[in-house]
Amino acid sequence: MHFRNYASQGASRHSEAESPDQDSGVTMAAPMLRWGCRGRRWAFARVDGGSCHRRGAPTGSTSNRIRGQSSVAQQPLHTAQKPRKGEHKWAAVVGLEIHAQISSNSKLFSGSQVRFSAPPNSLVSFFDASLPGTLPVLNRRCVEAAVMTGLALNCHINKKSLFDRKHYFYADLPAGYQITQQRLPIAVNGSLIYGVCAGKKQSQVIPKMVRIKQIQLEQDSGKSLHDDLRSQTLIDLNRAGVGLLEVVLEPDMSCGEEAATAVRELQLILQALGTSQANMAEGQLRVDANISVHHPGEPLGVRTEVKNLNSIRFLAKAIDYEIQRQINELENGGEILNETRSFHQKLGCTMSMRDKEGKQDYRFMPEPNLPPLVLYDATSLPAGADPQQVINIDQIRETLPELPSVTREKLVQQYGMLLEHSFTLLNEVGLLEFFQNVIKETRAEPKKVTSWVLNTFLGYLKQQNLAVSESPVTPSALAELLDLLDSRTISSSAAKQVFKELWKREGKTPGQIVSEKQLELMQDQGALEQLCHSVMEAHPQVVMDVKKGNPRAVNKLIGLVRKATQSRADPVMIKEILEKKMSL
Amino acid sequence: MLGRTLREVSAALKQGQITPTELCQKCLSLIKKTKFLNAYITVSEEVALKQAEESEKRYKNGQSLGDLDGIPIAVKDNFSTSGIETTCASNMLKGYIPPYNATVVQKLLDQGALLMGKTNLDEFAMGSGSTDGVFGPVKNPWSYSKQYREKRKQNPHSKNEDSDWLITGGSSGGSAAAVSAFTCYAALGSDTGGSTRNPAAHCGLVGFKPSYGLVSRHGLIPLVNSMDVPGILTRCVDDAAIVLGALAGPDPRDSTTVHDPINKPFMLPSLADVSKLCIGIPKEYLVPELSSEVQSLWSKAADLFESEGAKVIEVSLPHTSYSIVCYHVLCTSEVASNMARFDGLQYGHRCDIDVSTEAMYAATRREGFNDVVRGRILSGNYFLLKENYENYFVKAQKVRRLIANDFVNVFNSGVDVLLTPTTLSEAVPYLEFIKEDNRTRSSQDDIFTQAVNMAGLPAVSIPVALSNQGLPIGLQFIGRAFCDQQLLTVAKWFEKQVMHVLCKKGEKEKHYKRKKITCHLTIHKSEGPVVSSHSMT
């Protein structure tokens, strides 16, 4: 077997496809297509009035963007704008199937290591390669991860669950079947709460809920790389048999943004639990969307399944595109086929996957080599059971770490920040930790810290498209800067200047920058009084205006004094001195 | 020496009467002489001699690993053997050399056993004659026994001798032939619907199917995962117990093995008294197709127990008649699934067609599997289709539960062991056998053995007597789940009685003489002393 090039090519393909802002907060998000939200008003008028109505109408700019990118997309969007009259009558229904790779040392049913971007076929056991006679042995860690995730998503954990074989022939599925949990999955009937931004400035967070149908344990497949030039397929089985959690979200969402936000929340939960690294760029989180449109009050429409959604941004884009495509299709008298479509990232549209023609019958069958998976709780735990051989749900419940929703609540309570700010802090990878480190080291007020982290710091990052980990400014540097500000050593405009200097990565501390650039506020009361006096003498007309009661005139004087101090004086102090002098 | 039991030869090795290398060479030379039986697909001569050499060192140093050290054994060619081709008698796996040993193989090697080779079978163990493998049919050593030859001569209709040979039964016919022809002392078979017990009965051997979950299936290339168990073929019950002792126990690589501690090693007590035993005779097993000879032996055996004080009662296993059709659905469904991995990509046969992956799959599987395997894959996939699943697979599972419950009920009523025939009749000639297709044959031949696999129970076939034709006939004992030791203890008592009692009381005394079972091979004339030294004589 020669599978040489695959891993590196595959990896680069992934990273190319994945925009660096994959973790960028949906709440802060770049403009997205929103048409799908319109219909939602019918169902949840009050809730959606804010979020969807505002961006409901397809704006010229958004559609132009798409049109510019793709001739394929042009047609449907063009027609979409015609039937203005009926535009509000469609509602979209979106459900998601999410595959999260379990973060574990070894695979679901074999002892091979789990690692991303290892040399091709270097992490393959006899079982993974489906050598005849090999048998699956369930990985305890994967079961615990599933239980933990189920608990975090408010699921009912089934004390007994079963494994099934799902059959299909594919080159990267060596056994010809995947072991999954079709009949009786490990967790069912949960819910996921996520927040969608609304309000005039997108600053209000509205909580939404999506029901979770089930969570099932299953095997990942290998990877195929099709070399069309030499018409051959290269297979890498490193991923074959890695444990997956398939999380099925009920069709409770109605647009790309809702789906994207729900996925982002799930991603945060998985990462908080440590059950999955959930990095979409590395394929640890993969999302398929089931999408249909209908008139509210009527039966649901025929749905399509959209695959290949490997970033949150593309997820939202693809869903909104597909919703609009279906609406256009139906309004033009066409029909929606129950088909699988793939999202084309460069063209920004979905396309039918012709190779999946013909209905697949997966011929599900119970997996005979794995006995039923039995879990226990405190009451059902058999006396004297070997702790290595049993899994206690209650024990796992006790070890659940803090979930993102709780973290946000704490931030709001502890630091008095707005809820939407807490969302932003969590949504950016590493931002919360950065924030907490700054808080730890500075005397400045939490509100000041929040404002600096979310506005100044995050603004610089966004502008330069950097991740928090790539920031030139360390938490300690920012903390020191904020201390200088807090002690009134520098003015806030000087602080901005210092920050700009810090960003240049010259290795200087805020203190050094302040002294080099002489940015300290004038602390010498006498000198400042002297300066004020000179300015007043030089501008008698302005002083007259003040005395006549023109409030603007004071500001002019303050400005003049500040100019004279090269902005190093505290305007509050200047104002005090001036007022004292003039009232005398 | 070759005709001895495992226990006897083990004692001989310990006493230095023979060295492992000498023993190994004797077996190898007999394997060559009996090549025409087609018992072995691969003879692992070099491996065996090397193992013998190491065993010899251990004996010299007084560090013998136990009863199995230096004992030649054979393994059915559907057990994975590291570095030794494992074919399942299929084109699909010709040339496939596994990188690992099945757990049972590893355990035997760890005990010092010598692996003589891999034995013939029906392709992927699908059959009851050992006639449907890609390497050709296995010939029953009894075809060449003096008694059988003489009987055939008396029959004016008997045809040409060369085409007149008998089948071994199957699918572990190669293993049965190998032990029966004295080329080894024990062999591993596999048993999914009777594949170990059936050839054991036809070849005059003890064929033991352990409880499901007692012995690891890791490395056994599956037929029906939920029914497969490694089987043991030996010349006497004690030998089977020794091998079972080496194999039984939980395996971290097979999640269906049980962790409950089970009495080990399997030392079988000699039962002096059967008066506390209750033997059940299932009335549904008295079928019209049962040959009168087997039927008469069956009732004699029951009489024997009764005359020795055991309680013998008729019992009912009411769902027995559904077993065949139920097995057909479950077996083919699992086969369809298990065979999906043979696609030519990772290992085994791959066709030359490279138009597309799908075309490659199709041609590879067409070329790799015989008609029987393909037929089962097709029916299995049919039963698993969404629209058929409830009507076939789910129903068959429910029936399976009823069949298993039949046994539970009988055992709960106080029965210790069931006594039944193993096969309808003695071994039939090949030409006779192939008049029916594989499916018909399998369903006919498995009727006494199959239900046991559905229920996961232990069962053993014990040679009882020779037929009028001079061919061995076996009877089957079925025990409670995981009461393998109790089952074998009863079987051992019976085996002893058969030698002493049936021989004396039987009407056709000379045919029952066990002595003849061991001297059936004409080619063994030169090994005269071997025959007389058989402990059972």
Side-chain angles (χ1 to χ4, degrees), chain A residues 17 46 105 146 188 195 200 226 259 272 292 299 317 425 456 503 526 563:
Chain A
R46 219 152 49 100
N105 295 330
V188 292
K200 287 207 169 146
H226 304 291
S292 68
K317 235 173 147 177
L425 275 183
T456 315
W503 203 264
K563 205 175 172 187

Side-chain angles (χ1 to χ4, degrees), chain A residues 410-431:
Chain A
K410 279 190 179 169
L411 287 171
V412 170
Q413 283 180 2
Q414 214 174 329
Y415 304 122
M417 70 173 68
L418 295 169
L419 186 60
E420 54 267 29
H421 289 160
S422 70
F423 266 91
T424 312
L425 275 183
L426 264 74
N427 278 343
E428 289 301 319
V429 173
L431 192 60

Side-chain angles (χ1 to χ4, degrees), chain A residues 1 126-127 129-138 164-165 167 169-177 183 231 233 235 237 361-371 389, chain B residues 80 93 96 99-100 212 217-222 225-226 252-256 259 333-334 337-338 340-343 345-347 357 361 365 381 384-387 389 393 397:
Chain A
M1 301 196 287
F126 301 151
F127 175 80
S130 80
L131 292 199
T134 53
L135 298 169
V137 179
L138 185 57
D164 304 283
R165 291 180 177 180
H167 299 88
F169 282 107
Y170 206 75
D172 54 26
L173 185 75
Y177 56 82
R183 289 166 300 163
S231 76
T233 300
I235 310 292
L237 293 181
D361 189 321
Y362 291 119
R363 290 158 288 129
F364 282 101
M365 188 191 87
E367 166 57 64
N369 293 319
L370 291 166
Q389 291 298 322
Chain B
S80 191
L93 283 179
Y96 166 64
Y100 75 102
Y212 184 88
R217 292 180 295 113
H218 172 251
L220 167 59
I221 298 175
N225 294 286
S226 62
R253 292 189 177 87
D254 177 359
S255 308
T256 62
H259 282 261
S333 300
E334 277 203 39
S337 174
N338 288 333
R341 70 188 57 213
F342 299 105
D343 55 15
L345 272 182
Q346 322 283 336
Y347 41 77
T357 311
Y361 284 162
R365 289 164 69 79
N381 277 321
L384 290 177
L385 286 177
K386 206 171 181 183
E387 73 225 55
Y389 184 75
F393 191 84
Q397 276 190 312

Side-chain angles (χ1 to χ4, degrees), chain A residues 18-43:
Chain A
E18 186 54 45
S19 75
D21 67 342
Q22 58 104 2
D23 290 311
S24 75
V26 174
T27 50
M28 299 284 291
M32 286 184 279
L33 307 185
R34 318 280 184 203
W35 309 305
C37 297
R38 272 172 289 152
R40 194 62 175 182
R41 271 185 292 165
W42 294 88

Side-chain angles (χ1 to χ4, degrees), chain B residues 329-467:
Chain B
V329 174
L330 296 177
C331 169
T332 56
S333 300
E334 277 203 39
V335 163
S337 174
N338 288 333
M339 296 294 144
R341 70 188 57 213
F342 299 105
D343 55 15
L345 272 182
Q346 322 283 336
Y347 41 77
H349 178 70
R350 186 193 291 187
C351 71
D352 297 328
I353 294 167
D354 59 359
V355 186
S356 71
T357 311
E358 286 74 20
M360 191 274 283
Y361 284 162
T364 296
R365 289 164 69 79
R366 158 101 221 155
E367 293 166 14
F369 294 137
N370 71 6
D371 289 349
V372 177
V373 179
R374 284 208 305 278
R376 291 203 194 182
I377 291 173
L378 284 175
S379 13
N381 277 321
Y382 175 82
F383 297 137
L384 290 177
L385 286 177
K386 206 171 181 183
E387 73 225 55
N388 296 334
Y389 184 75
E390 285 289 326
N391 282 336
Y392 291 96
F393 191 84
V394 172
K395 265 190 192 156
Q397 276 190 312
K398 288 177 179 166
V399 174
R400 179 180 184 174
R401 171 66 64 193
L402 293 174
I403 291 169
N405 285 347
D406 279 354
F407 286 104
V408 172
N409 294 338
V410 163
F411 288 123
N412 281 347
S413 75
V415 169
D416 295 304
V417 173
L418 294 168
L419 173 63
T420 79
T422 310
T423 55
L424 289 167
S425 69
E426 65 208 345
V428 297
Y430 175 70
L431 293 175
E432 190 70 29
F433 187 80
I434 57 171
K435 281 180 186 162
E436 300 278 10
D437 65 17
N438 178 296
R439 188 156 70 97
T440 314
R441 276 299 179 190
S442 298
S443 50
Q444 284 171 352
D445 295 341
D446 290 351
I447 59 167
F448 300 128
T449 48
Q450 205 171 69
V452 166
N453 296 75
M454 298 263 197
L457 305 174
V460 61
S461 178
I462 305 291
V464 180
L466 295 185
S467 68

Side-chain angles (χ1 to χ4, degrees), chain A residues 294-308:
Chain A
H294 70 135
H295 297 297
E298 290 177 17
L300 294 179
V302 176
R303 63 177 197 186
T304 60
E305 186 182 12
V306 179
K307 289 184 176 288
N308 196 24

